[in-house]
Amino acid sequence: MREGEKDPGLYDFRPYRDRTKLEWPDGKKVAVWVSPNLEFYEIDPPANPHRKSWPKPHPDIVGYGHRDYANRIGHWRMAEVMEKHGFKGSVSLSVALCQHHPDVVANANDLGWEFFSHGIYNTRYSYGMDERQERAIIEDSIKTVRDATGQTIKGWLAPALTHTPRTLDLIAEYGMTYTCDLYHDDQPAPVHVKSGKLVSMPYSIEVNDHYGFFVYNMSPREYADTLKRQYDRLAAEAEASDGPGGTGMCIPLHSYLIAQPHRIGPFEDVLRHISADGRAWITRSGDIADHFLSSGGYDAVAADAARYAKAES
């Protein structure tokens, strides 16, 4: 390795070939989880010197109103379609929503959805935080969700995907079992932390509806076709005799986008396609992490990495 190009050591390298096969319950091939982002965006957030919260000067009434559609219309429309086809949400939650719009959180909880933390607000970033501040956010997230729902969060997706060098170690120290902040694999994998066991869940930027509509400029049907192709390929690879075994597919959503009246129909076609296929373990993120840790998957992946490193040395 060249000088100045140190591997950060977040996780081990494992080629996609020659992996110990992961197994999902009932012989399913793809662990599919839908991750609605239930969020609250402040109209005039405090400035962070490292990054602007809004591209326009504050207060950004247009951006605020667009995103608030999620809590007033989008969540309810999206939840109805998901429940119709048997998909429980794994909620990336701006925990301040528990105070701003408790009805949304209560509805998701009543439906049996899981919550993990996406920070307090998605307009407040981790950049520049000291350890005391970061611990306070983690502790606030745990307490707020527990008080509102009775659930103890198992996972973390950093607010606006912003981190400090301590983030992964801290969430593991506080007892969380998975992070959605690494995008390096199509299967769960161990993350190197100072204490506990932390699993990297295969969350996604590529099939995130924000990227689909805002970055890649997809039409609703193009985005739906992308999700179907993602699922079909992951299922085929999981079935292959020389494949990796069970794969994972996350569908990250923002209901102010996916639940617009002109987009919800093609998205429902995706859910219908996956649920009718028969190869999907339609589940929640915490259930995947629990299975990976309890069934020997975590240890098998760690052994694979050690075997590969030995072979390369």
Side-chain angles (χ1 to χ4, degrees):
M1 185 175 298
R2 294 183 179 181
E3 185 178 354
E5 295 181 359
K6 183 180 178 181
D7 188 319
L10 297 174
Y11 42 78
D12 293 313
F13 179 75
R14 293 183 306 136
Y16 203 38
R17 64 184 187 279
D18 300 328
R19 292 183 173 185
T20 300
K21 290 182 179 293
L22 292 185
E23 295 185 0
W24 299 138
D26 301 319
K28 298 298 185 180
K29 303 305 178 185
V30 189
V32 179
W33 55 294
V34 177
S35 185
N37 286 260
L38 300 187
E39 299 171 325
F40 193 88
Y41 284 79
E42 301 162 285
I43 193 169
D44 192 12
N48 185 301
H50 300 277
R51 177 178 168 184
K52 292 183 178 180
S53 298
W54 296 105
K56 297 178 181 179
H58 302 176
D60 187 351
I61 294 174
V62 174
Y64 173 83
H66 188 201
R67 285 159 179 79
D68 201 35
Y69 183 92
N71 300 317
R72 300 171 188 280
I73 303 293
H75 164 72
W76 313 92
R77 184 178 288 142
M78 176 184 64
E80 180 179 8
V81 168
M82 288 172 58
E83 288 296 309
K84 178 180 176 181
H85 295 281
F87 289 79
K88 298 294 181 183
S90 301
V91 175
S92 171
L93 179 68
S94 295
V95 302
L97 196 69
C98 295
Q99 285 84 35
H100 288 284
H101 294 302
D103 287 354
V104 176
V105 175
N107 175 257
N109 196 41
D110 290 344
L111 292 173
W113 291 15
E114 177 193 349
F115 297 90
F116 58 87
S117 178
H118 197 22
I120 298 176
Y121 290 100
N122 213 35
T123 36
R124 301 199 187 189
Y125 308 135
S126 300
Y127 300 135
M129 284 187 183
D130 60 29
E131 183 172 336
R132 179 190 58 82
Q133 292 171 315
E134 194 163 15
R135 285 184 181 275
I137 285 179
I138 295 170
E139 291 170 5
D140 183 284
S141 295
I142 294 169
K143 183 179 187 304
T144 300
V145 175
R146 185 180 288 149
D147 289 349
T149 69
Q151 295 189 34
T152 300
I153 59 174
K154 301 177 182 179
W156 190 264
L157 178 66
L161 311 185
T162 63
H163 312 85
T164 77
R166 300 174 299 271
T167 301
L168 298 176
D169 287 327
L170 286 178
I171 63 173
E173 178 186 326
Y174 279 93
M176 295 184 207
T177 55
Y178 69 91
T179 174
C180 301
D181 283 318
L182 302 171
Y183 309 95
H184 65 293
D185 214 304
D186 287 325
Q187 294 181 303
V191 181
H192 294 165
V193 287
K194 292 180 179 178
S195 63
K197 289 184 175 180
L198 189 66
V199 176
S200 172
M201 290 295 297
Y203 194 75
S204 179
I205 288 178
E206 284 289 319
V207 296
N208 189 310
D209 64 348
H210 174 87
Y211 277 75
F213 298 130
F214 280 167
V215 178
Y216 302 138
N217 296 315
M218 293 179 180
S219 71
R221 294 204 177 278
E222 286 172 334
Y223 178 64
D225 182 62
T226 295
L227 294 176
K228 291 177 184 177
R229 288 186 286 112
Q230 181 93 346
Y231 171 77
D232 290 344
R233 177 71 187 210
L234 288 170
E237 290 179 354
E239 284 187 318
S241 60
D242 59 348
T247 53
M249 177 177 172
C250 179
I251 305 175
L253 300 175
H254 302 76
S255 64
Y256 75 93
L257 296 173
I258 199 64
Q260 293 289 343
H262 65 102
R263 290 185 177 130
I264 195 69
F267 175 62
E268 184 172 6
D269 288 343
V270 174
L271 301 184
R272 188 180 294 112
H273 174 82
I274 293 172
S275 62
D277 180 75
R279 293 175 290 179
W281 175 29
I282 299 170
T283 187
R284 304 176 305 177
S285 51
D287 299 325
I288 299 171
D290 288 348
H291 178 83
F292 183 68
L293 287 163
S294 65
S295 67
Y298 183 101
D299 295 331
V301 171
D304 274 355
R307 175 170 55 87
Y308 182 79
K310 183 178 180 180
E312 289 294 293
S313 63

mmCIF file of all heavy atoms in Angstrom, residues 157-193:
data_model
loop_
_atom_site.group_PDB
_atom_site.id
_atom_site.type_symbol
_atom_site.label_atom_id
_atom_site.label_comp_id
_atom_site.label_asym_id
_atom_site.label_seq_id
_atom_site.Cartn_x
_atom_site.Cartn_y
_atom_site.Cartn_z
ATOM 1 N N LEU A 157 -28.594 5.190 11.267
ATOM 2 C CA LEU A 157 -28.255 5.811 9.991
ATOM 3 C C LEU A 157 -27.972 7.266 10.311
ATOM 4 O O LEU A 157 -28.865 8.000 10.736
ATOM 5 C CB LEU A 157 -29.397 5.687 8.977
ATOM 6 C CG LEU A 157 -29.169 6.338 7.616
ATOM 7 C CD1 LEU A 157 -28.051 5.647 6.846
ATOM 8 C CD2 LEU A 157 -30.462 6.326 6.782
ATOM 9 N N ALA A 158 -26.739 7.696 10.165
ATOM 10 C CA ALA A 158 -26.329 9.008 10.637
ATOM 11 C C ALA A 158 -27.155 10.110 9.978
ATOM 12 O O ALA A 158 -27.556 9.984 8.817
ATOM 13 C CB ALA A 158 -24.838 9.225 10.360
ATOM 14 N N PRO A 159 -27.432 11.196 10.711
ATOM 15 C CA PRO A 159 -28.239 12.283 10.138
ATOM 16 C C PRO A 159 -27.608 12.845 8.879
ATOM 17 O O PRO A 159 -26.449 13.287 8.896
ATOM 18 C CB PRO A 159 -28.288 13.326 11.265
ATOM 19 C CG PRO A 159 -27.149 12.974 12.178
ATOM 20 C CD PRO A 159 -26.985 11.502 12.075
ATOM 21 N N ALA A 160 -28.379 12.796 7.786
ATOM 22 C CA ALA A 160 -27.888 13.241 6.473
ATOM 23 C C ALA A 160 -26.591 12.530 6.086
ATOM 24 O O ALA A 160 -25.786 13.067 5.330
ATOM 25 C CB ALA A 160 -27.712 14.758 6.429
ATOM 26 N N LEU A 161 -26.389 11.319 6.633
ATOM 27 C CA LEU A 161 -25.212 10.474 6.352
ATOM 28 C C LEU A 161 -23.916 11.163 6.770
ATOM 29 O O LEU A 161 -22.887 11.000 6.119
ATOM 30 C CB LEU A 161 -25.163 10.077 4.869
ATOM 31 C CG LEU A 161 -26.453 9.519 4.268
ATOM 32 C CD1 LEU A 161 -26.221 9.061 2.834
ATOM 33 C CD2 LEU A 161 -27.032 8.394 5.108
ATOM 34 N N THR A 162 -23.940 11.900 7.873
ATOM 35 C CA THR A 162 -22.761 12.618 8.352
ATOM 36 C C THR A 162 -22.219 11.924 9.595
ATOM 37 O O THR A 162 -22.980 11.470 10.445
ATOM 38 C CB THR A 162 -23.087 14.085 8.665
ATOM 39 O OG1 THR A 162 -24.051 14.157 9.724
ATOM 40 C CG2 THR A 162 -23.631 14.788 7.425
ATOM 41 N N HIS A 163 -20.877 11.896 9.708
ATOM 42 C CA HIS A 163 -20.226 11.104 10.744
ATOM 43 C C HIS A 163 -19.099 11.863 11.417
ATOM 44 O O HIS A 163 -18.643 12.896 10.929
ATOM 45 C CB HIS A 163 -19.626 9.826 10.136
ATOM 46 C CG HIS A 163 -20.543 9.079 9.247
ATOM 47 N ND1 HIS A 163 -20.702 9.364 7.911
ATOM 48 C CD2 HIS A 163 -21.380 8.045 9.507
ATOM 49 C CE1 HIS A 163 -21.593 8.541 7.382
ATOM 50 N NE2 HIS A 163 -22.026 7.745 8.326
ATOM 51 N N THR A 164 -18.634 11.271 12.512
ATOM 52 C CA THR A 164 -17.337 11.609 13.081
ATOM 53 C C THR A 164 -16.521 10.323 13.095
ATOM 54 O O THR A 164 -17.079 9.234 12.883
ATOM 55 C CB THR A 164 -17.452 12.143 14.521
ATOM 56 O OG1 THR A 164 -17.672 11.052 15.432
ATOM 57 C CG2 THR A 164 -18.572 13.157 14.645
ATOM 58 N N PRO A 165 -15.222 10.391 13.377
ATOM 59 C CA PRO A 165 -14.434 9.154 13.465
ATOM 60 C C PRO A 165 -14.879 8.231 14.600
ATOM 61 O O PRO A 165 -14.504 7.061 14.620
ATOM 62 C CB PRO A 165 -13.006 9.668 13.715
ATOM 63 C CG PRO A 165 -12.987 11.049 13.159
ATOM 64 C CD PRO A 165 -14.353 11.598 13.425
ATOM 65 N N ARG A 166 -15.716 8.747 15.523
ATOM 66 C CA ARG A 166 -16.158 7.949 16.671
ATOM 67 C C ARG A 166 -17.485 7.261 16.478
ATOM 68 O O ARG A 166 -17.883 6.420 17.290
ATOM 69 C CB ARG A 166 -16.299 8.853 17.908
ATOM 70 C CG ARG A 166 -15.059 9.563 18.366
ATOM 71 C CD ARG A 166 -15.406 10.524 19.512
ATOM 72 N NE ARG A 166 -16.365 11.527 19.054
ATOM 73 C CZ ARG A 166 -16.024 12.692 18.508
ATOM 74 N NH1 ARG A 166 -14.750 13.001 18.345
ATOM 75 N NH2 ARG A 166 -16.949 13.540 18.125
ATOM 76 N N THR A 167 -18.249 7.605 15.436
ATOM 77 C CA THR A 167 -19.657 7.237 15.358
ATOM 78 C C THR A 167 -19.894 5.740 15.494
ATOM 79 O O THR A 167 -20.718 5.291 16.308
ATOM 80 C CB THR A 167 -20.270 7.746 14.040
ATOM 81 O OG1 THR A 167 -20.135 9.167 13.960
ATOM 82 C CG2 THR A 167 -21.740 7.373 13.942
ATOM 83 N N LEU A 168 -19.212 4.926 14.712
ATOM 84 C CA LEU A 168 -19.464 3.488 14.727
ATOM 85 C C LEU A 168 -19.104 2.867 16.073
ATOM 86 O O LEU A 168 -19.837 2.005 16.589
ATOM 87 C CB LEU A 168 -18.698 2.813 13.590
ATOM 88 C CG LEU A 168 -19.096 3.263 12.176
ATOM 89 C CD1 LEU A 168 -18.200 2.601 11.137
ATOM 90 C CD2 LEU A 168 -20.560 2.932 11.890
ATOM 91 N N ASP A 169 -17.983 3.288 16.648
ATOM 92 C CA ASP A 169 -17.607 2.777 17.965
ATOM 93 C C ASP A 169 -18.648 3.146 19.023
ATOM 94 O O ASP A 169 -18.983 2.334 19.899
ATOM 95 C CB ASP A 169 -16.243 3.331 18.386
ATOM 96 C CG ASP A 169 -15.088 2.699 17.624
ATOM 97 O OD1 ASP A 169 -15.180 1.510 17.265
ATOM 98 O OD2 ASP A 169 -14.097 3.414 17.365
ATOM 99 N N LEU A 170 -19.167 4.358 18.949
ATOM 100 C CA LEU A 170 -20.117 4.807 19.968
ATOM 101 C C LEU A 170 -21.443 4.068 19.877
ATOM 102 O O LEU A 170 -22.002 3.656 20.907
ATOM 103 C CB LEU A 170 -20.346 6.318 19.854
ATOM 104 C CG LEU A 170 -19.203 7.205 20.339
ATOM 105 C CD1 LEU A 170 -19.555 8.679 20.118
ATOM 106 C CD2 LEU A 170 -18.884 6.955 21.803
ATOM 107 N N ILE A 171 -21.977 3.894 18.677
ATOM 108 C CA ILE A 171 -23.282 3.207 18.613
ATOM 109 C C ILE A 171 -23.153 1.756 19.063
ATOM 110 O O ILE A 171 -24.076 1.204 19.687
ATOM 111 C CB ILE A 171 -23.919 3.318 17.212
ATOM 112 C CG1 ILE A 171 -23.088 2.629 16.137
ATOM 113 C CG2 ILE A 171 -24.203 4.770 16.858
ATOM 114 C CD1 ILE A 171 -23.777 2.581 14.772
ATOM 115 N N ALA A 172 -22.026 1.121 18.781
ATOM 116 C CA ALA A 172 -21.807 -0.238 19.290
ATOM 117 C C ALA A 172 -21.693 -0.227 20.807
ATOM 118 O O ALA A 172 -22.233 -1.108 21.495
ATOM 119 C CB ALA A 172 -20.559 -0.842 18.656
ATOM 120 N N GLU A 173 -21.004 0.755 21.364
ATOM 121 C CA GLU A 173 -20.876 0.866 22.819
ATOM 122 C C GLU A 173 -22.240 1.000 23.480
ATOM 123 O O GLU A 173 -22.468 0.458 24.579
ATOM 124 C CB GLU A 173 -20.004 2.076 23.158
ATOM 125 C CG GLU A 173 -19.836 2.318 24.643
ATOM 126 C CD GLU A 173 -19.093 3.605 24.952
ATOM 127 O OE1 GLU A 173 -18.179 3.978 24.179
ATOM 128 O OE2 GLU A 173 -19.432 4.240 25.971
ATOM 129 N N TYR A 174 -23.165 1.705 22.828
ATOM 130 C CA TYR A 174 -24.504 1.877 23.387
ATOM 131 C C TYR A 174 -25.433 0.697 23.095
ATOM 132 O O TYR A 174 -26.626 0.772 23.366
ATOM 133 C CB TYR A 174 -25.120 3.183 22.875
ATOM 134 C CG TYR A 174 -24.645 4.402 23.627
ATOM 135 C CD1 TYR A 174 -23.553 5.138 23.179
ATOM 136 C CD2 TYR A 174 -25.286 4.806 24.795
ATOM 137 C CE1 TYR A 174 -23.114 6.260 23.870
ATOM 138 C CE2 TYR A 174 -24.854 5.932 25.491
ATOM 139 C CZ TYR A 174 -23.758 6.650 25.023
ATOM 140 O OH TYR A 174 -23.321 7.753 25.718
ATOM 141 N N GLY A 175 -24.903 -0.381 22.559
ATOM 142 C CA GLY A 175 -25.670 -1.607 22.415
ATOM 143 C C GLY A 175 -26.380 -1.801 21.092
ATOM 144 O O GLY A 175 -27.133 -2.773 20.929
ATOM 145 N N MET A 176 -26.162 -0.906 20.126
ATOM 146 C CA MET A 176 -26.793 -1.111 18.824
ATOM 147 C C MET A 176 -26.076 -2.223 18.074
ATOM 148 O O MET A 176 -24.879 -2.447 18.255
ATOM 149 C CB MET A 176 -26.790 0.181 18.016
ATOM 150 C CG MET A 176 -27.657 1.244 18.676
ATOM 151 S SD MET A 176 -27.776 2.752 17.709
ATOM 152 C CE MET A 176 -28.082 3.926 19.042
ATOM 153 N N THR A 177 -26.823 -2.921 17.238
ATOM 154 C CA THR A 177 -26.268 -4.100 16.562
ATOM 155 C C THR A 177 -26.049 -3.906 15.082
ATOM 156 O O THR A 177 -25.429 -4.759 14.446
ATOM 157 C CB THR A 177 -27.181 -5.321 16.773
ATOM 158 O OG1 THR A 177 -28.517 -5.005 16.341
ATOM 159 C CG2 THR A 177 -27.210 -5.738 18.237
ATOM 160 N N TYR A 178 -26.538 -2.794 14.500
ATOM 161 C CA TYR A 178 -26.283 -2.605 13.076
ATOM 162 C C TYR A 178 -26.199 -1.134 12.705
ATOM 163 O O TYR A 178 -26.732 -0.265 13.366
ATOM 164 C CB TYR A 178 -27.330 -3.319 12.212
ATOM 165 C CG TYR A 178 -28.733 -2.753 12.249
ATOM 166 C CD1 TYR A 178 -29.140 -1.779 11.342
ATOM 167 C CD2 TYR A 178 -29.681 -3.246 13.145
ATOM 168 C CE1 TYR A 178 -30.435 -1.285 11.354
ATOM 169 C CE2 TYR A 178 -30.977 -2.756 13.164
ATOM 170 C CZ TYR A 178 -31.346 -1.778 12.272
ATOM 171 O OH TYR A 178 -32.627 -1.284 12.282
ATOM 172 N N THR A 179 -25.471 -0.910 11.612
ATOM 173 C CA THR A 179 -25.369 0.410 11.008
ATOM 174 C C THR A 179 -25.806 0.331 9.550
ATOM 175 O O THR A 179 -25.575 -0.683 8.876
ATOM 176 C CB THR A 179 -23.931 0.952 11.077
ATOM 177 O OG1 THR A 179 -23.858 2.192 10.338
ATOM 178 C CG2 THR A 179 -22.922 -0.010 10.463
ATOM 179 N N CYS A 180 -26.432 1.402 9.079
ATOM 180 C CA CYS A 180 -26.823 1.494 7.671
ATOM 181 C C CYS A 180 -25.922 2.467 6.908
ATOM 182 O O CYS A 180 -26.241 2.857 5.789
ATOM 183 C CB CYS A 180 -28.279 1.959 7.556
ATOM 184 S SG CYS A 180 -29.465 0.893 8.373
ATOM 185 N N ASP A 181 -24.791 2.830 7.492
ATOM 186 C CA ASP A 181 -23.952 3.881 6.930
ATOM 187 C C ASP A 181 -22.826 3.391 6.032
ATOM 188 O O ASP A 181 -22.010 4.198 5.587
ATOM 189 C CB ASP A 181 -23.336 4.705 8.074
ATOM 190 C CG ASP A 181 -24.342 5.658 8.681
ATOM 191 O OD1 ASP A 181 -25.100 6.277 7.916
ATOM 192 O OD2 ASP A 181 -24.367 5.783 9.913
ATOM 193 N N LEU A 182 -22.752 2.110 5.755
ATOM 194 C CA LEU A 182 -21.717 1.572 4.868
ATOM 195 C C LEU A 182 -22.406 0.920 3.676
ATOM 196 O O LEU A 182 -23.413 0.237 3.835
ATOM 197 C CB LEU A 182 -20.843 0.557 5.614
ATOM 198 C CG LEU A 182 -20.146 1.108 6.868
ATOM 199 C CD1 LEU A 182 -19.488 -0.024 7.656
ATOM 200 C CD2 LEU A 182 -19.105 2.153 6.489
ATOM 201 N N TYR A 183 -21.851 1.107 2.500
ATOM 202 C CA TYR A 183 -22.551 0.707 1.268
ATOM 203 C C TYR A 183 -21.672 -0.212 0.416
ATOM 204 O O TYR A 183 -21.732 -0.181 -0.807
ATOM 205 C CB TYR A 183 -22.944 1.959 0.471
ATOM 206 C CG TYR A 183 -23.676 2.966 1.324
ATOM 207 C CD1 TYR A 183 -22.986 4.011 1.942
ATOM 208 C CD2 TYR A 183 -25.038 2.830 1.561
ATOM 209 C CE1 TYR A 183 -23.648 4.907 2.764
ATOM 210 C CE2 TYR A 183 -25.708 3.730 2.376
ATOM 211 C CZ TYR A 183 -25.019 4.764 2.978
ATOM 212 O OH TYR A 183 -25.673 5.642 3.796
ATOM 213 N N HIS A 184 -20.910 -1.051 1.087
ATOM 214 C CA HIS A 184 -19.825 -1.761 0.417
ATOM 215 C C HIS A 184 -20.174 -3.183 0.014
ATOM 216 O O HIS A 184 -19.321 -3.873 -0.545
ATOM 217 C CB HIS A 184 -18.603 -1.793 1.335
ATOM 218 C CG HIS A 184 -18.811 -2.577 2.597
ATOM 219 N ND1 HIS A 184 -19.681 -2.168 3.584
ATOM 220 C CD2 HIS A 184 -18.276 -3.747 3.017
ATOM 221 C CE1 HIS A 184 -19.656 -3.048 4.563
ATOM 222 N NE2 HIS A 184 -18.821 -4.012 4.246
ATOM 223 N N ASP A 185 -21.407 -3.672 0.287
ATOM 224 C CA ASP A 185 -21.671 -5.092 0.059
ATOM 225 C C ASP A 185 -23.158 -5.317 -0.159
ATOM 226 O O ASP A 185 -23.985 -4.478 0.194
ATOM 227 C CB ASP A 185 -21.190 -5.913 1.271
ATOM 228 C CG ASP A 185 -20.655 -7.287 0.893
ATOM 229 O OD1 ASP A 185 -21.401 -8.055 0.248
ATOM 230 O OD2 ASP A 185 -19.497 -7.594 1.231
ATOM 231 N N ASP A 186 -23.485 -6.483 -0.734
ATOM 232 C CA ASP A 186 -24.878 -6.895 -0.888
ATOM 233 C C ASP A 186 -25.270 -7.953 0.124
ATOM 234 O O ASP A 186 -26.335 -8.583 -0.011
ATOM 235 C CB ASP A 186 -25.117 -7.435 -2.312
ATOM 236 C CG ASP A 186 -25.146 -6.333 -3.351
ATOM 237 O OD1 ASP A 186 -25.627 -5.227 -3.033
ATOM 238 O OD2 ASP A 186 -24.672 -6.569 -4.480
ATOM 239 N N GLN A 187 -24.454 -8.145 1.143
ATOM 240 C CA GLN A 187 -24.748 -9.027 2.262
ATOM 241 C C GLN A 187 -24.356 -8.316 3.560
ATOM 242 O O GLN A 187 -23.485 -7.453 3.550
ATOM 243 C CB GLN A 187 -23.961 -10.343 2.155
ATOM 244 C CG GLN A 187 -24.363 -11.219 0.979
ATOM 245 C CD GLN A 187 -23.547 -12.518 0.953
ATOM 246 O OE1 GLN A 187 -22.326 -12.489 0.909
ATOM 247 N NE2 GLN A 187 -24.247 -13.640 0.982
ATOM 248 N N PRO A 188 -24.981 -8.699 4.673
ATOM 249 C CA PRO A 188 -24.508 -8.171 5.949
ATOM 250 C C PRO A 188 -23.054 -8.562 6.187
ATOM 251 O O PRO A 188 -22.582 -9.583 5.674
ATOM 252 C CB PRO A 188 -25.426 -8.841 6.982
ATOM 253 C CG PRO A 188 -26.612 -9.299 6.213
ATOM 254 C CD PRO A 188 -26.125 -9.618 4.835
ATOM 255 N N ALA A 189 -22.350 -7.758 6.983
ATOM 256 C CA ALA A 189 -20.943 -8.036 7.258
ATOM 257 C C ALA A 189 -20.555 -7.415 8.590
ATOM 258 O O ALA A 189 -21.130 -6.402 9.004
ATOM 259 C CB ALA A 189 -20.053 -7.476 6.151
ATOM 260 N N PRO A 190 -19.572 -8.011 9.283
ATOM 261 C CA PRO A 190 -19.098 -7.414 10.536
ATOM 262 C C PRO A 190 -18.381 -6.084 10.292
ATOM 263 O O PRO A 190 -17.713 -5.893 9.275
ATOM 264 C CB PRO A 190 -18.105 -8.461 11.065
ATOM 265 C CG PRO A 190 -18.454 -9.734 10.366
ATOM 266 C CD PRO A 190 -18.944 -9.311 9.014
ATOM 267 N N VAL A 191 -18.534 -5.179 11.246
ATOM 268 C CA VAL A 191 -17.826 -3.905 11.249
ATOM 269 C C VAL A 191 -16.841 -3.933 12.418
ATOM 270 O O VAL A 191 -17.164 -4.408 13.505
ATOM 271 C CB VAL A 191 -18.803 -2.727 11.430
ATOM 272 C CG1 VAL A 191 -18.051 -1.397 11.397
ATOM 273 C CG2 VAL A 191 -19.873 -2.760 10.349
ATOM 274 N N HIS A 192 -15.646 -3.431 12.198
ATOM 275 C CA HIS A 192 -14.645 -3.390 13.258
ATOM 276 C C HIS A 192 -14.938 -2.234 14.219
ATOM 277 O O HIS A 192 -14.902 -1.072 13.813
ATOM 278 C CB HIS A 192 -13.255 -3.218 12.671
ATOM 279 C CG HIS A 192 -12.807 -4.396 11.860
ATOM 280 N ND1 HIS A 192 -11.736 -4.341 11.003
ATOM 281 C CD2 HIS A 192 -13.276 -5.671 11.785
ATOM 282 C CE1 HIS A 192 -11.568 -5.520 10.425
ATOM 283 N NE2 HIS A 192 -12.500 -6.337 10.880
ATOM 284 N N VAL A 193 -15.273 -2.563 15.447
ATOM 285 C CA VAL A 193 -15.534 -1.556 16.479
ATOM 286 C C VAL A 193 -14.797 -1.947 17.753
ATOM 287 O O VAL A 193 -14.358 -3.087 17.905
ATOM 288 C CB VAL A 193 -17.050 -1.420 16.763
ATOM 289 C CG1 VAL A 193 -17.748 -0.716 15.613
ATOM 290 C CG2 VAL A 193 -17.703 -2.779 17.028
#
